[in-house]
Amino acid sequence: VADPATWHYYAFYGKAGSNVTITVNRTGCAIDPAFSLYSGVTTSSDGIDTITGGPNLTWLAFQNDDVAPALGCGCGLDPQLVDYTLPTTGYYTVAVYDFGCNDSTVGTDVSYQLTVTGAGIVCLDTDADGVYDDVDNCPTEVNPDQANFDADSVGDACDADDDNDGIADADDPNPYGPNEETIVIDGCETGVPNHVLEDGTTMMDKIKACADDAKNHGAFVSCLAHLTNQWKASGHITQDQKGVIQSCGAQSNLP
């Protein structure tokens, strides 16, 4: 059986006494799928094996070679567990893996389709955070609050660039900074590109810091003037762009 580190884990919530049917259909002939069913959930492959399961898991069933593949692949059958009665109410884990029949295809697409049906089944929740996979913005990372700073399709828990400014969080001094493409000050659009600066911050990061630290409007305008003088001297902006930024700042109601 393949190394457990290569297994894929899927969780669902079921009620005791409910009958479920689990099917894994290969969508390409590069895989000979099999699966194990466990009660409980896991976020790590450490210590997982076919029989004992591992931390927080109890092995329930193993399926392999039950249904002829629709694709007509010549290596093994697809696994299916029919009308299995769930012993308890709670989360269950389906661990899907390549049983190893197609070792010559290592590195190719080993895609498959997993289906879990039954009257007592709740939608799949792979990370068991209470948010179903079909609406979870981080289906494999626990994030019940679904926080998503940049309002893209990826939640903060699994987003490598939370403010979507083109700088990876690991390298971004301000990973939750303003992410506008141009400099906008209190609704005033300057049309000036929001450049990434040498220290990894953006111009809007610096302007926001000015607004956050200023005790009054005059202090904000003074801070903004200092920034634009630096940016003009370093060649980031032109004299005209400097004037537009300062004008928007002067007309703003910041801080």
Side-chain angles (χ1 to χ4, degrees):
V1 178
D3 180 356
T6 66
W7 297 4
H8 295 166
Y9 301 96
Y10 304 91
F12 66 90
Y13 190 89
K15 297 180 180 179
S18 298
N19 291 334
V20 301
T21 295
I22 303 172
T23 304
V24 176
N25 294 123
R26 72 192 80 188
T27 56
C29 291
I31 184 175
D32 175 24
F35 69 81
S36 288
L37 175 66
Y38 303 92
S39 61
V41 291
T42 182
T43 58
S44 170
S45 61
D46 295 343
I48 306 303
D49 64 50
T50 305
I51 302 301
T52 64
N56 304 317
L57 292 180
T58 300
W59 179 83
L60 297 174
F62 168 76
Q63 293 299 124
N64 183 41
D65 293 346
D66 299 306
V67 181
L71 297 176
C73 301
C75 185
L77 306 178
D78 288 345
Q80 184 179 56
L81 182 64
V82 179
D83 287 336
Y84 179 84
T85 302
L86 299 179
T88 59
T89 295
Y91 284 103
Y92 291 82
T93 293
V94 180
V96 181
Y97 42 92
D98 186 350
F99 200 63
C101 181
N102 294 299
D103 289 340
S104 63
T105 59
V106 172
T108 60
D109 181 14
V110 290
S111 59
Y112 53 84
Q113 182 181 56
L114 167 66
T115 304
V116 181
T117 59
I121 294 301
V122 179
C123 294
L124 290 175
D125 181 10
T126 299
D127 55 14
D129 62 0
V131 183
Y132 302 142
D133 286 0
D134 60 341
V135 294
D136 194 339
N137 59 23
C138 285
T140 61
E141 297 287 342
V142 176
N143 65 331
D145 62 0
Q146 294 291 283
N148 190 0
F149 180 80
D150 55 8
D152 62 2
S153 61
V154 183
D156 295 345
C158 58
D159 195 339
D161 181 9
D162 279 304
D163 55 12
N164 201 29
D165 62 359
I167 308 169
D169 287 352
D171 302 317
D172 194 340
N174 188 14
Y176 296 97
N179 59 3
E180 291 88 346
E181 292 185 1
T182 59
I183 294 176
V184 181
I185 303 176
D186 199 21
C188 181
E189 171 63 68
T190 69
V192 179
N194 182 27
H195 292 295
V196 177
L197 303 171
E198 290 75 11
D199 63 357
T201 62
T202 65
M203 290 181 170
M204 281 298 297
D205 287 336
K206 299 293 189 184
I207 294 173
K208 182 177 184 300
C210 278
D212 291 342
D213 296 340
K215 295 182 179 179
N216 52 53
H217 181 67
F220 168 70
V221 172
S222 176
C223 181
L224 185 62
H226 179 70
L227 288 178
T228 53
N229 286 335
Q230 287 183 327
W231 297 339
K232 170 62 171 58
S234 62
H236 287 299
I237 61 175
T238 66
Q239 180 64 35
D240 288 344
Q241 289 174 328
K242 170 186 170 181
V244 172
I245 295 171
Q246 290 185 348
S247 177
C248 278
Q251 296 174 38
S252 74
N253 292 316
L254 298 176

